[in-house]
Amino acid sequence: VRQGYNPQTLAVIREEQAPVADTPDVQEAPSLDEDTPAVKQKSSIQPMEEAADEPAADIAATCIAYPITQSYKTDTSVDIFDISDKANPRKLHTLSQSGTYRDSRMVGGMLYLISEYTDILPTETAQDEPGTYVPLFAEDGTQIASAPEDIVLRPDVTWPSYTVVGGIDAAGEGVYVSQKSVYGATETVYASTDNIYLATSAYTDEETGRDDTYVYYTSGYHTQLCRLAIGGGAVEIAATGAVPGTLHNQFSLDERGGVLRVVVTEWENTWANFITEPEVYTEKMWEDFPEGTNKQTNALYTFDENLTQLGAVTDLAEGEQVFSVRFLGDVAYFVTFRQTDPLFSVDLTDPKDPRVLGALKIPGFSEYLHPYADGLLFGLGNDANEQTGARGNLKLSMFDNSDPADVTEAHKLLVEGHMYTDVASNHKAIVVSAALGLIAFPADESYLIYSYNNDAGFAKIAEIPVDRGAGASDPNSRGAYMPFDMRGLFIGNVFYVVTPNTVTAYDMDDGFAQVGGVVLNEAAWSVSSWDYSQRVWDTGPVMPLAAEPAMAE
């Protein structure tokens, strides 16, 4: 596997290197999201994942995406490996498509790879050479250009860019089933088991009136939507539309029963200008100059399969913006924030008539919401000053949503000394298991592990120091390089913390004592952080790493 022209390594790591229980099923988090990334550009290893309501496929393969830069052109490529013999992984196919990696989804053994192709230079295009101005696809080196019928133009395109979508039979023949391209950039990707939605925001302004001296304008943002129908690797462009406002992230979108539900923050500004610029400005001109307005509100919209609006609830929490969203069945929960945190609950039983059920106001805000168990909704965010809105320490909240019309904060915990977590921008960084009463996530230069039960609430059970400076360009500069792709997972009774360079194992039955680990890229670690003769960390519980993994009987 390579990134550009730099060689990389596919590492297959046996979990038997550390004592484990007899339950080998890998538990990854969050497991309740139906649109999780399958491959990631610049990742060393990223396992494939299924959509939540799609049965898991029996796949003895993994895919790794990486960019290849040739002149000004960039491709995103996927290597498909047979890992049935984990000691000897075998590459089966390499597929690529124009553009840098944007996102991906695995549904029913089919990989849907999404890239952003912007390398279009007018000086280097030729009408009789489509490959100079349309996306290219390749299978094991054989390249083809997108066909005209596989390209759709988005309205209001502000930048010459294609969103390229390839449907790949990753579990079978390892070939492209279909390719589609949308002319226009994509900011947010959401997928159900039947559709992929592409969304991008666009700024608009329009003249609303004029008099003898001034011309008046209204400006704001809307989000363009494109629905791609998927199935069996096939991708079809099914509908386009738009919604007022902007999205927070992929959780702002949700599909249920053929209805798309969207939570947005809306922005509307009014302003004026002189019809003709005066040669001399007078004080009175400025005294009479019309004042502009700035309005910021939040809303929820519903759309049918043609992206035609069905219903809406608007003008919520003026002056605030959306910080997190979670749809659970026929109820939407979302947090807006300025000084306090209103947690809204909206009834979506009738898509044509959504109704606000309640709004819980508490200090701080949740930047991530996760369904924990029946009647419980977990929130991770920050405490905040109620007067100024200034961000404080990290805050864990457990909301009782057994009655969506009367949501309460059942338990909370402030995480002293920590203000930042990767979870705020990457939901894959958190592990949530209601069955084990376990919540774990990275925070600053630590990996934090908490327990939760309905009576006692949250309790910290481990704080694992992690040297995020590992791999810095200056090896003696701690924290110079901040990897934002740290992961946690558990197999049986062993919890693993994975960084770009290490996999470390901890015994969950022994207070998360370190029991083993491996180094994936030893050269990237600084001498100051390692004793190479013993190969041990100088942070956290010190535990020698065996030269060869210990085999479980």
Side-chain angles (χ1 to χ4, degrees):
V1 179
R2 67 188 187 279
Q3 177 169 302
Y5 296 105
N6 299 319
Q8 291 189 347
T9 302
L10 171 66
V12 179
I13 302 168
R14 286 192 296 267
E15 54 88 10
E16 290 89 345
Q17 65 179 307
V20 296
D22 294 330
T23 54
D25 294 333
V26 176
Q27 303 293 324
E28 295 195 348
S31 60
L32 298 177
D33 298 324
E34 64 181 1
D35 52 339
T36 48
V39 293
K40 288 193 174 180
Q41 181 180 336
K42 299 184 180 178
S43 289
S44 296
I45 298 179
Q46 181 67 27
M48 313 303 293
E49 298 181 59
E50 295 288 331
D53 51 347
E54 185 77 10
D58 183 14
I59 304 171
T62 188
C63 299
I64 297 176
Y66 52 91
I68 306 173
T69 302
Q70 299 173 346
S71 180
Y72 64 91
K73 299 291 186 181
T74 300
D75 294 340
T76 293
S77 295
V78 174
D79 283 349
I80 300 179
F81 291 84
D82 180 351
I83 57 170
S84 54
D85 180 358
K86 294 179 174 56
N88 298 287
R90 183 171 60 91
K91 186 166 76 171
L92 302 175
H93 302 285
T94 296
L95 300 91
S96 66
Q97 60 193 53
S98 296
T100 57
Y101 176 84
R102 183 62 186 82
D103 220 322
S104 57
R105 298 291 187 270
M106 175 69 89
V107 181
M110 298 293 170
L111 170 66
Y112 298 92
L113 179 64
I114 304 168
S115 57
E116 202 76 22
Y117 178 45
T118 59
D119 300 327
I120 308 164
L121 299 181
T123 57
E124 299 189 22
T125 60
Q127 185 172 355
D128 58 347
E129 296 181 26
T132 63
Y133 54 86
V134 301
L136 299 173
F137 295 83
E139 295 179 355
D140 295 323
T142 301
Q143 204 169 57
I144 60 171
S146 294
E149 61 269 22
D150 291 331
I151 301 175
V152 67
L153 301 181
R154 243 183 192 162
D156 304 328
V157 173
T158 57
W159 187 259
S161 172
Y162 288 95
T163 299
V164 185
V165 183
I168 300 171
D169 182 8
E173 297 297 320
V175 298
Y176 277 108
V177 177
S178 65
Q179 310 97 16
K180 291 291 185 293
S181 299
V182 178
Y183 192 72
T186 292
E187 296 172 354
T188 304
V189 176
Y190 164 76
S192 66
T193 55
D194 300 314
N195 296 288
I196 292 175
Y197 292 88
L198 309 178
T200 189
S201 61
Y203 173 82
T204 57
D205 62 59
E206 60 179 346
E207 181 181 331
T208 56
R210 60 175 58 205
D211 55 28
D212 293 339
T213 309
Y214 307 105
V215 57
Y216 302 91
Y217 299 92
T218 297
S219 63
Y221 288 89
H222 69 273
T223 296
Q224 300 171 6
L225 301 172
C226 180
R227 180 173 73 86
L228 306 177
I230 60 173
V235 180
E236 296 296 336
I237 298 167
T240 58
V243 59
T246 59
L247 308 179
H248 177 63
N249 56 22
Q250 68 190 52
F251 293 103
S252 298
L253 298 159
D254 182 79
E255 180 190 274
R256 180 177 174 85
V259 175
L260 178 68
R261 298 92 68 87
V262 187
V263 173
V264 295
T265 296
E266 296 189 45
W267 320 76
E268 182 181 275
N269 305 313
T270 63
W271 48 286
N273 205 349
F274 292 104
I275 292 178
T276 58
E277 291 294 325
E279 293 184 6
V280 178
Y281 290 92
T282 66
E283 184 175 341
K284 181 168 178 51
M285 284 181 181
W286 293 118
E287 289 177 354
D288 295 340
F289 197 87
E291 289 189 12
T293 62
N294 299 286
K295 184 179 181 182
Q296 179 178 316
T297 59
N298 304 276
L300 184 150
Y301 292 87
T302 57
F303 297 87
D304 65 14
E305 61 181 8
N306 297 315
L307 296 181
T308 300
Q309 184 179 320
L310 295 173
V313 55
T314 60
D315 294 321
L316 301 176
E318 183 172 353
E320 304 184 0
Q321 70 182 77
V322 173
F323 268 64
S324 58
V325 185
R326 181 66 78 161
F327 291 88
L328 299 178
D330 286 325
V331 180
Y333 298 92
F334 56 94
V335 170
T336 63
F337 176 73
R338 184 170 60 185
Q339 276 91 29
T340 58
D341 169 0
L343 172 60
F344 287 94
S345 53
V346 178
D347 180 12
L348 296 168
T349 304
D350 181 359
K352 296 181 180 180
D353 185 28
R355 297 180 300 107
V356 175
L357 297 174
L360 170 67
K361 288 191 175 184
I362 55 175
F365 56 91
S366 295
E367 285 192 282
Y368 177 70
L369 296 173
H370 193 107
Y372 186 77
D374 287 343
L376 293 176
L377 178 66
F378 170 70
L380 176 60
N382 289 79
D383 192 25
N385 185 293
E386 293 188 53
Q387 281 69 47
T388 66
R391 181 186 295 249
N393 289 317
L394 290 176
K395 177 186 177 184
L396 284 67
S397 297
M398 191 65 75
F399 300 103
D400 181 345
N401 65 337
S402 54
D403 180 0
D406 185 25
V407 177
T408 60
E409 188 177 38
H411 294 99
K412 68 177 181 179
L413 178 69
L414 298 183
V415 183
E416 297 295 334
H418 293 286
M419 295 181 65
Y420 173 78
T421 174
D422 298 357
V423 181
S425 57
N426 184 355
H427 64 279
K428 296 300 294 179
I430 193 169
V431 175
V432 178
S433 172
L436 296 180
L438 181 72
I439 298 169
F441 55 91
D444 299 311
E445 292 194 357
S446 297
Y447 194 89
L448 305 179
I449 302 174
Y450 290 86
S451 64
Y452 178 81
N453 67 59
N454 294 337
D455 297 324
F458 299 101
K460 185 167 75 173
I461 54 178
E463 180 169 351
I464 301 169
V466 177
D467 187 354
R468 287 178 178 259
S473 55
D474 177 2
N476 295 312
S477 176
R478 183 182 181 90
Y481 169 64
M482 298 284 285
F484 294 103
D485 49 4
M486 191 186 309
R487 296 288 186 272
L489 59 90
F490 57 87
I491 305 174
N493 66 329
V494 178
F495 194 93
Y496 297 87
V497 176
V498 183
T499 74
N501 292 319
T502 63
V503 179
T504 316
Y506 301 89
D507 189 342
M508 296 169 64
D509 294 333
D510 188 21
F512 283 81
Q514 184 179 321
V515 294
V518 293
V519 181
L520 304 179
N521 185 9
E522 196 169 48
W525 290 74
S526 65
V527 174
S528 62
S529 296
W530 281 90
D531 177 347
Y532 281 97
S533 63
Q534 296 295 320
R535 298 183 67 200
V536 299
W537 279 271
D538 70 352
T539 59
V542 176
M543 190 72 184
L545 302 182
E548 296 295 333
M551 296 300 295
E553 295 296 331

